Each structure stands twice: as structure tokens, then as C-alpha cells.
Amino acid sequence: MKNDPKHSGKVLTLYRWIWESYRKAVILPMILIVFGFSMFYFFTLQWNRSETIDYLFEEANRELKLMSEDKASMIKNQLDGVAYEADLFRYMTAEALLEEVNDLSVLERLQYSTEGAYYTTEDTQTGGAAVFYSGYFPIREEEQLKVAKILRLEKNMELMSETNPLITSLYFNTFDSLNVIYPYFDVLEQYPAKMNIPEYNFYYEADETNNPERNVVWTDAYLDPAGHGWMASVIAPVYREDFLEGVIGIDVTIRTITQDLLNLPIPWEGYAMLIGKDGTILALTEEGEKDWQLDELKEVNYSEAVYEDTYKPEEFNLFSKETMSGLATSIKQEDQGSRSIDLYGESRVVAWSSLGEIGWKLLMVVPEDNIYANVKEMNNRILYVGILVGILFVALFAGFIVFIARRASTMSRKIALPLEEMDKIAKRIGEGEYLQKVPDIQVYELKETATNLVDMGETLGRTNQELLELEKTALLAKDEAEKANEAKSEFLSSMSHELRTPLNAVLGYAQVLLMEEDKLDESQRNCITEIYQAGKHLLALINQVLDLSRIEAGYMNVNMEIFDIREAVHEVLSLMEPLSKQNDVRIETVNAQDDLTPSLVFADRMRTKQVLINLVSNGIKYNRSNGRVKIACREIEERLIIEVEDNGVGITKEDQKVVFKPFHRLDHGKQTIEGTGIGLAVTKQLVELMGGTIRLESEFGVGSRFIVEFMAYKEGADSLKLHVLSKNHDFELLKNQPYRILYIEDNPTNMNMIENALMLLGIGLIKAASAESAFEILEDQEVDLILLDINLSGMNGYEFYQKLIQDPVRSRIPVIAISAGAMENDIHRGLEVGFHRYLTKPIDLEELFSAMYELLKQKNV
Ligand code: ADP
């Protein structure tokens, strides 16, 4: 799952990729365009709506205003007519008061009440006026004459009343509380006896104080006590010169006016209403009543009306409603106008016009919604169409997306299937089925690729076949070479062995003969000495050949022990003395003889001496007369270094590369020096077998220095470990086996520690300070086990291992990783990579040996 490319962040399936491309290139831009168009459509719709609404609103306002103005002027005319009649009546009354009266018969239907009021007891036969002279002032003959004068107007009053339907009654009130009123009614019953008329509003509103201009004036509206609904009175003062005789009045019922008004058809289902000077609602339709949540006032208690000047229930007053204060101000300030109001949560448009003198206002009220109903309807339709188009778009879009998705799927299948097919072909080729058929593919480029793949498979098959054959040949050749090598070693071994027996006899008898020296003459002695010398040389040659073949065949055993190197050097020096004298070469020692502290080394004593003899004898042989060979021993950081240096002929750079190879002898001019050409080869092998190293520094014509390094033996913790380890059976089995173990480590201390430890088991170590140098070593020699440090400078342990397992032969070498990374995941990773063991530092030797034993044991089986 972790490595599944379908699930990793950046990798897309083909379908997904095509789909993404469509989405970015087609679907998104389309969505944006459609969205843009929709926005434009709805924006235009909104704009159009607000423009139309403004226009309609203005139109409606204007129309309403015109209508109210028109109707108001009609009512005004009617009211003006009444006012004109009042003016006429006033002049007639003033005239009547001035003229003499002779006929007093009109007074016959009058008499005094018990309280002193003078009043009409009955109506005339044709219907006349009623008279009530309150007993406020005494009524004498003069007053009776005044009654008779006024009653002369009875006919005129009747005429005026009958010709104008608005007029309900006409009357004249005097300063001394006379009331003459048409038509007749029972005044005694109705009026209080001592009524002081100037105290009433229909009198004082026209007096000198309130009406100094002596105009005809209208009183406020009031409810008719006789049940005629709202009434108003138009009153006018009657002066005799500057004396106010009284006030005439005409009562007008507004029922007739309102009847028309209320039946008035008003557009947009609106209605009309009439309000008085102070805001009292005088007329209102039924819808209006509902709208204002009122029931119209029609009846009122009669006595209430007479005793109170005016009757104004608060809820019927438009101006006293708090919510209408704005409207009230506008109406009071302007004779004409219109504005929107909020009436119990509903929007209304109100247009008003003044009725002139009377101070009343005609209002037309229309629900605002009705004005816009059409616009709203139209808008809703457009919106509806818009939504329908939107739905259609969405549906089309959905269809389009489904189509695109299908298209993407078909396209991806068309490409993915051939690709999968090719993948399968590639896999089959990988598995060794090199001959494949080109599948049926419709896409040209893919078909080309598939054809190339199939061709490649064929070529690969052929090449592989050739390679296999080559490998077979190579393996055969290698086998043969190995066999030949083995035969050579065996031959050398048996030959040497066979040669030793006769040589034994030759040398033995030569020595016996030489022991009886005195029996021989000079020439015989020389001959036998020659035979002895030649025999010894031959023996040395045979021994060296034998050693070399043993080493090469892996039969050479070393017996590791701890000994003082100085003793070995000392023995070699005494052995070499004759040769040095013979060659006139001096041997010097540094720290090798006189130093009191022993230089302990862990190696094979015999073989170490053999190594030293080879080096020293070469130093002497390849020297010049009066030359010198220097042997120096020193310890550096747990290493014991032995240097054999001469100032002889030296070795060229070129030759330095081959001196350690067997049977390579260098050309030292005409001088012939005895030698076999195996000495250095054996020396190198022996040193390495003992866990040491050997290298050469030389300058042609100046001299050579061979440097041998062994592990110095230090008494301490390790010796204890040795004791413990030696008890373990497993390690006993490891001991002194000719295993070739390669340790790759760049830290010399670690390297030395392991080397030291392995020495205790008698196992030498092949050392590499880097992974790169390890490969060089692996080129030259075979290795049974690799100990691998992970944190190497340069190529690290993991990289080394990856490279190692590329090689089919070397990948079989078991590898023990030795690393400082001791975390759980380090170990896990180490084992996952394929290391046979993963050990952590500090190294537990027991664990290491146990692992080594396990892996080496398998190898042996
Ligand atoms: P040999 O038996 O010939 O000495 P070795 O293997 O010991 O064989 O040496 C190989 C060759 O290396 C020698 O033949 C010699 O030419 C050269 N050689 C070895 N040691 C020295 C040295 N100290 N100085 C110069 N040349 C040397």
C-alpha cells in the first residue's frame, strides 16, 4: 500500500488526469460564464424592478393627489355655498332687527314658562321656527318686539333650508340669550331655563374677541345630538353699528358630503377619509375603519353634546396618534401633499387636500402593495422564468458533466488498456518469456511503443541466450582453471614431498662425507661442499614452493601464541650473520635487542621468524658491498611495527607492484643473485594469515623498506575475555580455522580490537579501511565472511551491501553489520536490507563469535 503509486500524492491515474484536464479547461470556465450570466440577469431584474417601482410610486402619488384635489374642490364649493347663505342670512337678520314691526300675531304661540323663559308652545301649521328666550335677562315688551322682528324671517329660513340639502337648521342667537331656530322643536324641553347663550362656542367663536374681522366662520365639527352624525356650523356676527346684536348660524350635516365621498371609487382598492381641523376623523369607509381599527362614531348622548362644547374621542383623532406624528405635521403644514405611512405594520400611501376655510382635509389612502402588485407580479414572472432557465442550465450542465466523465473514462480506457497490456508484456519479458505478440491497439503511438517493446523482448531474449552461453563457458573455464590450480598445487606438494626424500639422502651423505673431512683431498672437499650448498638451496626452494601451495590450497595452519618479538629478531640475526659477512653487509637493530620492556606480539613464532629471514636475507642479497640492513621494532597505538630497511639497489615503482607476486624476480643488471622469486609471495601470505599487513617503500638505487604490522599484545581486559571465550565450545570450533574474514572499518581502534580478539582464536583478519578498498580486496581474493561497519566515510555500509549483492557470486558471502545505530528502527532497517546479522556497538565478543560461528558453520556444510 505504502508504495502503491495510485495512492501517492503526486501520481494520478489516467482517468483522473484526463478528468482534471477537462475540469480545468472546460467545466470550470463554463460554470464561471453561466454564473456570470445569471448574476447579470438577476442584477438587471433587480435594477429594472427598483426603477419601475420608483416610477409607479411617483405616478400613483400624483394621481392620488389629483383625485383628492379634485374631490376636495367639489366639497369646498358646496361648503362655500353654505357659507354664502350664512352671509346672506346675517344681512337679512340685521335688516329685520332695524325695521319696525306692526303685526304681533306671530307672538300668539309664545308664552312664559314658570322659570321666566319666553318660548313657542307649538309649531305653525305650515312648519315654522321655534323661539326660546331664556330667563337670563328679564323679558319685556321690547324683547317681545325683537322676537316678532326675527320671526318675520321664518319664511326665508324655511326657503334656505329646503333649497340646500346640506342645511339641517338655521338659527339666530342674541347677546341676551334669545334663540330663534328653524325648524321647530320643543325648546322648553330641550334647553335649560336660564341658558346664557354667549357662553356657547357657536356664539363666542364669532364675537368681537374671536372674530374681530366679523367674518363668516366655521366651528369645529361635532356629533349631532339628534343622530345626524357629524355636523358643523357656519356662524356670523350680526352688528348694529359696533354693537354685537347676536350671531346667526347654519348647521350643516356632512352626511350628504361623506356619502358621495365614501362611494368614490379609488384606484388600487384605496379609500377616502375626511378629517377635521384638529385631526378628528369625520368620515371613513368600512375598509377604512378596518384599516384604522375603528368603528365610526354615529350616535352620541344628547345631553353630553349640549353640555360640552365639542365632542372629540381621542382614538378618532388622527393627530393624537403617536405613530402618525409625521403625517400630522405634514398635513398641518401643507394644504396638499402625499406621503407613505406605516399603519399597524402595513405600508400605505396617503394623499391629502384641504377643504379651505373650514379647515377640513380630504385624505385618500391606498395600500402601497397594491400599487406595486403588477410590478411584483411581473417580477415574479421574470424570476420564475429565471429560475426555470437556471434549473434547465443545471440539468444541461449535469448532463454535460456526465457526458464529459464518460468521455474521460472511455479515453482513459483506450489508453490505459494498451498501457496495461504493455505492462504485462514487459513483466512477461522480465520473467523470461522473451517472445511476445503485439496486441491489438488503436492508438498509433501506443501501437508503435508496443511493437518496439515486443522487438526489444526478442533482442533481449537473444542477448540473454548468448550471455547464458558465455556464462556457461566462463564457468567451465573457471572450473577448469580451479581444477588445474588444484592439480598444480597437489602436484607441487607431492613433487616437493617426493623430492625431499632423495634430497634428504643427498644432504645427509654430503654432511657425513664432510664430517670425515680429513679423508678427502681439496678437490673432493670442494665438490662435496658444492653438493651440500646446492642441496640446501634446493631444499629451501622445495620448502617455499610447498608453503606457497599449502597457502594457496588453504591448508596452511598458523599456531598463534604470545611471544616477545625481540627474541625472534635475535634468533634471525644469529642465523643471518654468516650471510651478512659473506656479502659484506652490516646488520643494525633499533629497539629490537637492547630494550628491556618486552614487545609482545600475538602471532605464529615459527612463521614470524620465516618472514623476518626472508626480508633480512633479501635486504642482504640485494645490497652492495659495505651495505647495511636495519631492523627496527616499535609499538604505535596497539600495533607492533617491524621494519626491515636496506640501502641496497632499491626497487622501481613499476616493480613494486609485482614483487609480492610469486615467481617474479627483478632484473638487477648483470649481477646474478640466488633466489626463487617465491619468498615475498610466501611472506605476504604468512603475514596476512597471522592477521598482519606488509607493505613496501622503496626508491630505486637508494634502498628499500619492508614494513610488517602485527597486533601488539597488551595484558588487560581482553585476556580475561579470552579466558571466558575459550570455555565456549562454539568458539573452540572456530579456533585456528583458515577462515578468510574481511573487516571493513574506518576506525583503527575498533579494527584493532576485533583483530586482537580474532587473533585469540587464531583467525587472521583481512582489513579494509573503506568500502571502496574492500571491493579492491574482493577483486583479488576470496572471503568467507564480511564484518561491515555501517557509518563509513565515503560509501557507507548500506551502499556497500547494495553493490555487493549485485554480484551473484559475492552476494553469497554472509555479512555481519556492526553499527553504532542501536535504535529499534536501525536494527529493523538493517535486517530488512538483508544483513545476516546486525550487531550493535559496543560489540559483545561472545555474540560476535557466536554469529560468526553460525554463519561459517553453514558455509562448511
Ligand atoms: P628471491 O628468491 O628472488 O629473492 P623474493 O620473492 O624474495 O625472491 O624476491 C623477489 C624479487 O624482489 C627478487 O628477485 C628481487 O629482485 C626483488 N627484491 C626482493 N627484496 C629486495 C630488496 N630488499 N631490494 C631490492 N630488490 C629486492
Side-chain angles (χ1 to χ4, degrees):
M1 189 73 171
K2 217 174 20 182
N3 296 322
D4 185 352
K6 281 188 192 171
H7 292 86
S8 78
K10 280 174 198 159
V11 184
L12 296 176
T13 60
L14 201 57
Y15 172 75
R16 198 123 200 105
W17 177 70
I18 294 174
W19 170 249
E20 287 290 307
S21 313
Y22 270 135
R23 193 172 63 87
K24 280 186 196 139
V26 181
I27 299 177
L28 277 182
M30 270 188 76
I31 288 181
L32 282 178
I33 290 168
V34 170
F35 180 74
F37 270 118
S38 313
M39 289 307 290
F40 181 71
Y41 178 82
F42 287 107
F43 172 77
T44 318
L45 190 72
Q46 191 54 36
W47 178 77
N48 181 46
R49 185 184 134 94
S50 72
E51 285 291 299
T52 319
I53 280 180
D54 286 352
Y55 170 75
L56 274 184
F57 188 72
E58 270 169 35
E59 271 299 289
N61 267 340
R62 208 172 50 213
E63 196 167 323
L64 276 179
K65 256 175 18 192
L66 280 176
M67 262 185 89
S68 75
E69 209 180 300
D70 190 38
K71 207 66 204 163
S73 81
M74 268 167 59
I75 299 168
K76 196 168 163 278
N77 285 345
Q78 282 179 289
L79 294 173
D80 283 352
V82 179
Y84 175 75
E85 279 183 272
D87 207 18
L88 195 70
F89 184 37
R90 146 162 82 162
Y91 286 112
M92 283 176 5
T93 310
E95 282 299 310
L97 284 174
L98 290 176
E99 275 173 29
E100 288 297 315
V101 64
N102 303 318
D103 181 12
L104 294 175
S105 62
V106 286
L107 298 176
E108 280 167 15
R109 40 187 194 107
L110 280 92
Q111 67 173 53
Y112 285 94
S113 74
T114 44
E115 272 117 347
Y118 185 60
Y119 69 102
T120 43
T121 53
E122 55 178 15
D123 198 359
T124 61
Q125 273 168 1
T126 50
V131 177
F132 184 82
Y133 223 137
S134 104
Y136 203 79
F137 295 103
I139 299 151
R140 294 154 303 186
E141 195 181 339
E142 194 185 335
E143 279 76 28
Q144 285 182 352
L145 271 176
K146 185 149 82 179
V147 173
K149 281 179 185 172
I150 300 302
L151 277 178
R152 278 201 305 214
L153 294 175
E154 220 174 1
K155 267 284 158 222
N156 296 64
M157 288 161 98
E158 186 190 340
L159 203 68
M160 282 161 92
S161 168
E162 262 157 34
T163 50
N164 192 335
L166 291 183
I167 297 172
T168 51
S169 55
L170 299 102
Y171 48 84
F172 177 53
N173 291 309
T174 64
F175 68 94
D176 52 356
S177 295
L178 163 69
N179 169 259
V180 180
I181 183 160
Y182 176 89
Y184 172 86
F185 60 91
D186 186 356
V187 282
L188 192 70
E189 204 175 285
Q190 299 276 349
Y191 296 150
K194 295 273 185 250
M195 181 167 71
N196 182 19
I197 287 177
E199 284 175 1
Y200 289 86
N201 71 315
F202 47 79
Y203 187 92
Y204 65 71
E205 278 179 21
D207 69 9
E208 304 98 314
T209 342
N210 292 308
N211 186 18
E213 298 92 13
R214 303 179 186 182
N215 285 336
V216 175
V217 291
W218 285 89
T219 64
D220 269 354
Y222 59 91
L223 271 173
D224 179 30
H228 292 121
W230 285 99
M231 313 250 321
S233 304
V234 60
I235 53 176
V238 179
Y239 283 90
R240 180 166 40 83
E241 288 169 5
D242 279 337
F243 179 72
L244 178 65
E245 283 286 353
V247 174
I248 59 100
I250 298 176
D251 283 348
V252 172
T253 171
I254 57 171
R255 179 182 281 169
T256 339
I257 299 173
T258 57
Q259 214 63 51
D260 284 359
L261 192 72
L262 299 184
N263 290 336
L264 198 70
I266 298 195
W268 302 298
E269 292 170 33
Y271 56 89
M273 65 195 281
L274 195 65
I275 59 166
K277 212 188 278 179
D278 60 347
T280 307
I281 296 167
L282 304 178
L284 192 59
T285 60
E286 260 175 54
E287 309 105 272
E289 279 169 24
K290 273 186 221 140
D291 218 20
W292 291 85
Q293 298 180 7
L294 292 173
D295 274 325
E296 203 194 339
L297 275 189
K298 281 185 186 124
E299 309 250 341
V300 76
N301 187 298
Y302 171 75
S303 55
E304 252 177 283
V306 177
Y307 290 115
E308 291 170 26
D309 280 1
T310 43
Y311 186 77
K312 296 173 185 167
E314 276 302 301
E315 67 266 36
F316 277 82
N317 194 312
L318 205 78
F319 295 171
S320 67
K321 288 184 189 291
E322 247 174 63
T323 49
M324 293 299 141
S325 60
L327 179 68
T329 323
S330 300
I331 290 179
K332 277 184 218 163
Q333 280 171 1
E334 300 160 31
D335 273 353
Q336 272 187 349
S338 73
R339 65 180 284 156
S340 295
I341 57 161
D342 179 2
L343 190 59
Y344 302 112
E346 305 279 333
S347 296
R348 299 283 182 264
V349 180
V350 182
W352 68 89
S353 287
S354 169
L355 297 187
E357 290 294 306
I358 194 165
W360 296 355
K361 300 272 160 60
L362 175 68
L363 269 60
M364 294 202 174
V365 184
V366 171
E368 209 174 278
D369 279 355
N370 291 359
I371 300 174
Y372 309 134
N374 284 343
V375 189
K376 273 190 182 163
E377 166 113 23
M378 189 181 78
N379 257 296
N380 283 346
R381 242 179 248 168
I382 297 174
L383 194 71
Y384 179 68
V385 170
I387 290 171
L388 263 187
V389 171
I391 291 170
L392 202 75
F393 257 127
V394 169
L396 274 175
F397 224 79
F400 181 64
I401 288 174
V402 169
F403 169 74
I404 294 247
R406 284 211 177 152
R407 199 79 211 107
S409 158
T410 333
M411 271 176 78
S412 67
R413 241 182 301 132
K414 228 178 194 167
I415 301 170
L417 284 180
L419 284 178
E420 268 170 33
E421 202 56 44
M422 281 193 257
D423 190 43
K424 276 185 204 155
I425 291 175
K427 269 193 194 133
R428 284 200 289 269
I429 291 175
E431 282 160 9
E433 295 171 42
Y434 298 108
L435 294 179
Q436 294 293 328
K437 263 197 283 171
V438 181
D440 184 21
I441 296 171
Q442 284 159 9
V443 182
Y444 171 77
E445 286 83 352
L446 292 177
K447 185 149 190 154
E448 277 291 284
T449 314
T451 313
N452 288 342
L453 193 66
V454 169
D455 288 352
M456 190 196 77
E458 272 175 38
T459 318
L460 206 63
R462 269 201 308 278
T463 317
N464 197 44
Q465 195 54 41
E466 283 163 21
L467 273 177
L468 280 176
E469 273 156 24
L470 261 176
E471 192 191 16
K472 226 187 264 171
T473 326
L475 278 175
L476 271 175
K478 192 188 167 211
D479 234 32
E480 273 167 21
E482 270 172 9
K483 272 188 200 146
N485 206 29
E486 258 170 48
K488 181 196 88 186
S489 291
E490 239 168 72
F491 168 76
L492 282 176
S493 175
S494 59
M495 267 313 277
S496 312
H497 202 261
E498 291 305 313
L499 283 173
R500 277 163 83 101
T501 325
L503 201 57
N504 212 25
V506 172
L507 280 173
Y509 285 115
Q511 279 175 85
V512 171
L513 284 172
L514 282 175
M515 278 162 104
E516 293 174 295
E517 220 179 334
D518 40 349
K519 291 182 184 167
L520 304 172
D521 60 28
E522 180 74 24
S523 132
Q524 283 173 324
R525 204 170 40 235
N526 283 346
C527 284
I528 292 167
T529 308
E530 256 328 287
I531 291 169
Y532 179 65
Q533 290 292 342
K536 261 184 29 179
H537 180 64
L538 199 56
L539 182 63
L541 175 67
I542 289 165
N543 279 338
Q544 277 183 338
V545 168
L546 207 57
D547 278 351
L548 189 67
S549 59
R550 268 201 217 125
I551 292 168
E552 279 184 351
Y555 296 140
M556 175 66 92
N557 279 342
V558 285
N559 293 310
M560 299 297 279
E561 59 177 318
I562 300 156
F563 63 92
D564 189 349
I565 191 71
R566 296 177 314 152
E567 286 172 17
V569 171
H570 193 71
E571 281 172 41
V572 170
L573 283 183
S574 54
L575 274 172
M576 287 293 108
E577 215 179 79
L579 187 69
S580 69
K581 280 202 177 121
Q582 198 182 318
N583 285 270
D584 192 18
V585 172
R586 200 163 19 93
I587 303 182
E588 291 170 9
T589 56
V590 181
N591 289 344
Q593 244 182 335
D594 320 314
D595 201 0
L596 286 174
T597 44
S599 294
L600 292 180
V601 67
F602 183 70
D604 181 318
R605 188 197 293 262
M606 274 295 299
R607 298 297 176 190
T608 308
K609 277 202 290 185
Q610 192 182 342
V611 164
L612 289 175
I613 288 168
N614 275 344
L615 295 177
V616 175
S617 65
N618 276 353
I620 297 168
K621 280 197 295 181
Y622 304 105
N623 216 315
R624 50 193 161 79
S625 183
N626 204 15
R628 152 186 76 75
V629 173
K630 194 167 84 184
I631 307 172
C633 293
R634 55 201 157 89
E635 268 182 59
I636 297 175
E637 295 175 351
E638 300 178 15
R639 281 172 298 144
L640 186 80
I641 299 166
I642 308 158
E643 287 177 355
V644 179
E645 189 186 311
D646 64 64
N647 54 354
V649 292
I651 304 168
T652 59
K653 282 260 177 292
E654 213 38 45
D655 290 338
Q656 283 177 28
K657 291 177 193 162
V658 295
V659 282
F660 289 109
K661 298 214 164 131
F663 306 111
H664 275 279
R665 300 207 69 216
L666 312 181
D667 180 15
H668 295 289
K670 288 183 182 118
Q671 178 192 18
T672 45
I673 301 163
E674 268 183 11
T676 57
I678 317 174
L680 281 182
V682 172
T683 299
K684 186 171 191 284
Q685 301 272 22
L686 283 176
V687 169
E688 283 172 0
L689 210 57
M690 290 186 284
T693 56
I694 182 165
R695 65 196 156 85
L696 162 67
E697 290 168 3
S698 181
E699 202 178 317
F700 188 67
V702 178
S704 312
R705 185 195 291 143
F706 287 86
I707 304 137
V708 178
E709 275 189 40
F710 283 128
M711 191 45 84
Y713 179 74
K714 279 271 169 289
E715 210 126 17
D718 281 348
S719 61
L720 205 114
K721 199 109 196 178
L722 177 68
H723 180 67
V724 178
L725 290 173
S726 60
K727 279 184 182 171
N728 191 310
H729 181 69
D730 283 2
F731 311 139
E732 281 303 316
L733 289 173
L734 278 177
K735 267 192 171 177
N736 297 328
Q737 295 296 316
Y739 292 128
R740 289 154 299 184
I741 293 164
L742 172 66
Y743 185 22
I744 308 163
E745 168 70 81
D746 57 0
N747 179 324
T749 314
N750 287 338
M751 178 69 98
N752 292 340
M753 199 278 283
I754 297 292
E755 191 178 34
N756 231 332
L758 286 177
M759 269 184 200
L760 299 179
L761 295 177
I763 298 176
L765 197 62
I766 308 165
K767 299 190 279 186
S770 68
E772 290 83 356
S773 64
F775 279 112
E776 280 172 25
I777 292 170
L778 287 167
E779 286 290 314
D780 285 351
Q781 51 189 292
E782 283 192 19
V783 162
D784 299 312
L785 180 91
I786 295 173
L787 301 177
L788 174 65
D789 178 38
I790 295 297
N791 299 318
L792 291 167
S793 53
M795 184 191 278
N796 72 26
Y798 286 116
E799 290 159 355
F800 169 81
Y801 186 71
Q802 292 299 344
K803 193 174 167 190
L804 183 79
I805 55 174
Q806 307 281 311
D807 182 316
V809 180
R810 289 189 192 121
S811 68
R812 293 194 209 112
I813 305 172
V815 177
I816 299 177
I818 298 174
S819 166
M823 303 304 289
E824 185 69 25
N825 54 344
D826 290 332
I827 297 170
H828 187 73
R829 182 185 167 196
L831 293 175
E832 208 174 45
V833 160
F835 296 134
H836 296 75
R837 295 286 189 282
Y838 187 95
L839 303 181
T840 55
K841 289 175 183 171
I843 284 292
D844 181 346
L845 287 175
E846 208 166 345
E847 196 184 11
L848 174 68
F849 293 154
S850 170
M852 282 172 62
Y853 174 67
E854 282 299 317
L855 295 169
L856 290 168
K857 190 175 68 180
Q858 284 167 18
K859 195 181 163 71
N860 283 349
V861 171

